[in-house]
Amino acid sequence: MIYGLKVKNILFILLGSAIMAFGLVNFNMQNKLAEGGFTGITLLLYFLFHWDPSYTNLLLNIPLFFIGWKSLGRNAFLYTILGTVGVSMFLWVFQRITIEMPLENDLTLAALFAGVFTGIGLGIIFRYGGTTGGVDIIARLVQKYAGWNMGKTMFLFDACVIALSLMTYLNYKQAMYTLVAVFVSARVIDFIQEGAYSARGAMIISEKNDQIADKILQEMGRGVTALRGYGVYTKNERDILYCVVGKSEIIRLKNLITTVDPHAFVSISVVNDVHGEGFTLDENKMPIID
């Protein structure tokens, strides 16, 4: 712990900052693709006036730090400073340690990679408690004092920045590829936030619930919960089994159910994130990953 902050979080926020900055320098800046938020403003100032984004990113965010520190809370505020300074620092580094990636004739690749790198970087920063300042702080303040949804504020801000970029240095082709990059970035952020580990939830209705539950417990080591249900057609109450397993275990689960009751009704759903014993906690209730 450093001043109450987790070392692991600090390292991952810096890693996310490096990934994001690498993508901005090598894909957005090299191919004149815009971006939303305060990052988009720094790119706008870079393409119009050749102002270094590593400096403008800090200068734009400093006033917001003073305005928004109370709404963030101590740890979130410190992680936000770390994320903002980290992005600026790595922007400075990658502009001086350049990797030429001439993709002007293939803006599809440029947009995809810009979105992936920005999305991975921001996703990691968000997942470990940080932000990159800017519109995140503005959205929190607008939500607190005006009651607006944060997503709505961020969308409107991003739309205004991209529209302003289109009116100044972007042509229509670059603007359309920018939208592709922003869309990809948003999907990647969601993926990182929800967790790369995707599990499956199974709802099981059978006349042999007890045998099925016992087999799942003994042979797969997974917990099973019995939920009380009511059949609208039959007018009968019955138990419904619910079980969460890893994605790789779903075939084994279905085969196990079939061996006990081939006529069982089974519904499988995607579970994007799982917390608890067998997934994030071991059998002693200790974290498997911190």
Side-chain angles (χ1 to χ4, degrees), residues 134-259:
V135 70
D136 302 316
I137 296 176
I138 292 175
R140 285 173 187 261
L141 293 173
V142 172
Q143 182 185 46
K144 181 177 180 180
Y145 294 108
W148 277 31
N149 178 279
M150 284 184 66
K152 181 180 179 181
T153 304
M154 295 174 77
F155 173 78
L156 288 174
F157 195 95
D158 289 350
C160 290
V161 172
I162 293 174
L164 187 59
S165 300
L166 177 59
M167 290 186 289
T168 50
Y169 73 91
L170 285 184
N171 58 41
Y172 286 103
K173 184 178 180 181
Q174 291 166 331
M176 287 188 286
Y177 280 111
T178 291
L179 293 177
V180 172
V182 170
F183 177 81
V184 171
S185 175
R187 299 287 73 78
V188 173
I189 289 171
D190 289 342
F191 178 76
I192 300 292
Q193 283 283 83
E194 292 170 356
Y197 184 85
S198 181
R200 297 291 183 267
M203 302 281 285
I204 307 160
I205 302 174
S206 169
E207 299 295 336
K208 301 178 180 179
N209 278 346
D210 290 341
Q211 296 97 307
I212 291 173
D214 287 342
K215 271 190 167 291
I216 293 172
L217 289 167
Q218 293 168 11
E219 296 185 19
M220 299 188 65
R222 291 297 186 189
V224 185
T225 299
L227 307 173
R228 201 64 181 159
Y230 176 77
V232 175
Y233 180 75
T234 63
K235 308 300 181 184
N236 294 327
E237 289 190 356
R238 65 193 310 164
D239 285 340
I240 301 169
L241 300 182
Y242 181 69
C243 178
V244 177
V245 299
K247 185 166 59 175
S248 62
E249 297 176 299
I250 195 63
I251 299 299
R252 184 182 174 193
L253 175 66
K254 289 194 288 188
N255 289 338
L256 183 151
I257 295 168
T258 302
T259 59

Side-chain angles (χ1 to χ4, degrees), residues 8 31-32 50 69 125 138 146-147 165 169 175 178 210 223 229 244 266 284:
K8 180 180 178 181
N31 298 283
K32 284 195 172 182
H50 303 291
W69 69 273
I125 292 170
I138 292 175
S165 300
Y169 73 91
T178 291
D210 290 341
V244 177
V266 183
N284 298 314

